[in-house]
Amino acid sequence: MTRVLVAAASATALLAMAACSSTATPSTSTAAGDCAAYTQYGDLTGKTVSLFTSIASDSEAKPHIDSYKPFEKCTGATIKYEGSRDFEAQLPVRVKAGNAPDLAYIPQPGLLATLVTENPGKVFPAGDLASKNVDTYYQAAWKGYGSVDGKFYAVPVGANVKSFVWYSPKAFSDKGYTVPATWDELMALSDKIVADNPNSDVKPWCAGIESGGATGWPATDWIEDLMLRVNGADVYDQWVNHTVPFNDPKVVAAIDKAGTILKDPKYVNGGFGGVKTIATTPFAEAGAPILDGNCFMHRQASFYQANWATFDKKATVGPDGDIWAFYLPSMTADSKPVLGGGEFAAAFSDRPEVQAFQAYLASPEWSNAKADATPNGGWLSANNKLDVNKLTMPVDKLSYQILSDEKAVFRFDGSDLMPSKVGAGSFWKEMTNWIALDKSSQDVADAIEKSWPAK
């Protein structure tokens, strides 16, 4: 499940609607650089493209709005930005009513599929230039996530890496611990921490899955990461597509593997209590005991970087800082499955200016303009021509290095790909029961399988 964190135990607070429009004329140069790369879009003077997103607060919307300025200045187009906290509820209604925006940022491929299948002819395939850009600048998996029934609709615009373990470099150094390179080394480290803290409340791991109405989603990320590591990408794909049932022995084995950490009282829940406290610990607060020395590791996505300052304003994030992150090890040192998420821009019009802007969003020019417009970090693209030096946050650079690693096998968050009844329903609920009620992996998998919608 893709989430942007704040101090509270919820997704980013979307406080107000932001809108921006401007009038521009084509020019031969801009403050953002030469316009040569923009000639392919043509003269769009007087044309307006509307964009709808869930990013509504002024502070979060501004970097997006600023990243469109080179396109506006070089083509003469105007981008009209609209953000709403009710985006996911409003967009399907607007599409059905014939009042759709020209483009929208869609955070889940499952939502894209629903919009396409339930609104025939209202979501338009991406144009040739957008398709070429994605083929050229992104790993093939990204095009697949923007496609429905083999037809390409939505270009990737943002990315995050979820396969991270947060830790304190100083605490590791003080104890003589080293970052593990394999799953076996990770478990050996966990055992070492237990042995070093006998009869203590200090634990190797801390975790929390409470998130209001979305309680349980952090546990689904654990299962997805372990599905990739235990069974590989092909079985992961079959599981997400339901050609492998949710209660298949391979899936149960992955849940059990996650349980070797999350359901072992020797390992969890440092700073909070026993295993069952994971279900009631807010996910946004779950990593805090690392700073207190009550736990050593916390598995959470790259976007968790924003939370450390809420625990301690002086906390620094980086290889030599108070907090840093390492890649959640695979079963072998020579394999690198990567779980992540992202957003996609889909079009509800095939006007030339809309196709041009959609193509721009898949270009190196936009990814680098967006990085320039986000000086405080917290944003990432999987575009292979993104200048990593423009990423100001160390964990963003580390995320990009992982995404662009030739060995990396990227897969999108499974719950975001599954039918919402499962991915945002029974999967969340049953993983909560797995922790809070100590429900068995098999019983959890059976319950989720029964909830899968019939075709």
Side-chain angles (χ1 to χ4, degrees):
M1 179 78 178
T2 300
R3 288 288 185 273
V4 180
L5 305 186
V6 292
S10 63
T12 301
L14 302 176
L15 303 176
M17 183 175 291
C20 175
S21 62
S22 61
T23 302
T25 56
S27 62
T28 57
S29 64
T30 79
D34 190 86
C35 282
Y38 297 81
T39 58
Q40 60 188 317
Y41 305 123
D43 183 353
L44 303 177
T45 302
K47 304 295 185 181
T48 298
V49 178
S50 61
L51 175 69
F52 188 39
T53 87
S54 63
I55 304 162
S57 68
D58 291 341
S59 61
E60 290 184 302
K62 187 178 186 300
H64 287 276
I65 293 167
D66 288 347
S67 73
Y68 311 144
K69 289 180 179 178
F71 181 86
E72 291 179 306
K73 290 180 179 179
C74 288
T75 68
T78 296
I79 308 303
K80 183 180 179 183
Y81 183 97
E82 178 187 358
S84 171
R85 73 178 76 188
D86 297 320
F87 168 84
E88 291 189 36
Q90 288 185 14
L91 181 62
V93 173
R94 289 176 59 172
V95 173
K96 286 184 182 296
N99 186 34
D102 293 325
L103 285 160
Y105 283 1
I106 297 177
Q108 300 103 9
L111 176 57
L112 172 66
T114 298
L115 290 169
V116 170
T117 56
E118 293 185 357
N119 301 278
K122 292 187 177 182
V123 186
F124 287 83
D128 291 341
L129 184 53
S131 182
K132 179 182 177 182
N133 280 347
V134 175
D135 287 338
T136 303
Y137 302 117
Y138 289 84
Q139 289 188 4
W142 287 96
K143 192 169 191 177
Y145 296 132
S147 300
V148 179
D149 294 331
K151 187 172 290 186
F152 179 49
Y153 288 92
V155 302
V157 291
N160 62 69
V161 172
K162 296 195 169 192
S163 301
F164 276 130
V165 177
W166 294 90
Y167 74 109
S168 165
K170 183 180 186 301
F172 267 43
S173 178
D174 288 348
K175 293 291 187 177
Y177 301 152
T178 58
V179 170
T182 67
W183 185 264
D184 286 345
E185 290 180 9
L186 179 68
M187 298 305 290
L189 173 60
S190 299
D191 288 335
K192 174 65 173 170
I193 294 170
V194 171
D196 288 348
N197 295 277
N199 305 314
S200 171
D201 292 333
V202 174
K203 303 292 183 180
W205 294 88
C206 41
I209 65 171
E210 193 280 323
S211 186
T215 293
W217 74 260
T220 70
D221 283 1
W222 270 91
I223 305 309
E224 290 151 4
D225 251 330
L226 268 299
M227 275 295 296
L228 284 172
R229 281 154 179 75
V230 172
N231 298 307
D234 290 343
V235 172
Y236 182 92
D237 294 340
Q238 294 163 14
W239 169 61
V240 168
N241 295 328
H242 204 224
T243 54
V244 166
F246 210 108
N247 58 352
D248 186 275
K250 297 184 181 71
V251 182
V252 175
I255 300 173
D256 281 340
K257 184 66 75 172
T260 61
I261 292 177
L262 292 178
K263 297 187 77 170
D264 189 332
K266 297 192 307 293
Y267 289 165
V268 294
N269 188 20
F272 298 108
V275 171
K276 290 186 178 181
T277 65
I278 294 174
T280 55
T281 299
F283 84 95
E285 301 173 13
I290 292 178
L291 293 174
D292 299 332
N294 287 317
C295 93
F296 282 82
M297 294 178 286
H298 176 60
R299 185 226 158 274
Q300 190 50 272
S302 57
F303 49 67
Y304 201 77
Q305 64 181 307
N307 271 39
W308 297 108
T310 69
F311 307 142
D312 182 349
K313 291 182 179 180
K314 296 181 180 179
T316 57
V317 178
D320 300 317
D322 300 299
I323 290 290
W324 189 226
F326 61 82
Y327 166 75
L328 178 67
S330 182
M331 298 302 163
T332 60
D334 60 353
S335 64
K336 201 162 193 175
V338 179
L339 180 70
E343 301 83 38
F344 300 81
F348 302 91
S349 168
D350 62 351
R351 302 194 316 275
E353 60 270 26
V354 176
Q355 289 196 339
F357 186 60
Q358 188 181 37
Y360 171 64
L361 292 173
S363 71
E365 288 74 35
W366 179 72
S367 288
N368 284 293
K370 180 62 172 66
D372 285 335
T374 317
N376 295 324
W379 176 85
L380 181 66
S381 167
N383 190 301
N384 62 30
K385 293 299 182 183
L386 174 65
D387 182 353
V388 69
N389 294 315
K390 293 179 181 291
L391 300 174
T392 57
M393 296 289 283
V395 77
D396 292 337
K397 292 183 178 182
L398 179 60
S399 298
Y400 186 73
Q401 290 167 3
I402 290 174
L403 283 175
S404 57
D405 189 324
E406 290 184 356
K407 292 194 302 183
V409 178
F410 179 87
R411 286 298 184 269
F412 207 90
D413 181 295
S415 62
D416 283 348
L417 297 171
M418 294 173 182
S420 59
K421 184 178 180 181
V422 176
S426 60
F427 198 0
W428 292 355
K429 177 183 176 181
E430 290 301 327
M431 292 316 301
T432 303
N433 291 338
W434 183 65
I435 294 291
L437 305 179
D438 195 24
K439 195 168 182 177
S440 74
S441 299
Q442 185 66 62
D443 288 347
V444 161
D446 287 341
I448 299 172
E449 174 61 24
K450 288 179 182 178
S451 76
W452 202 283
K455 291 185 178 180

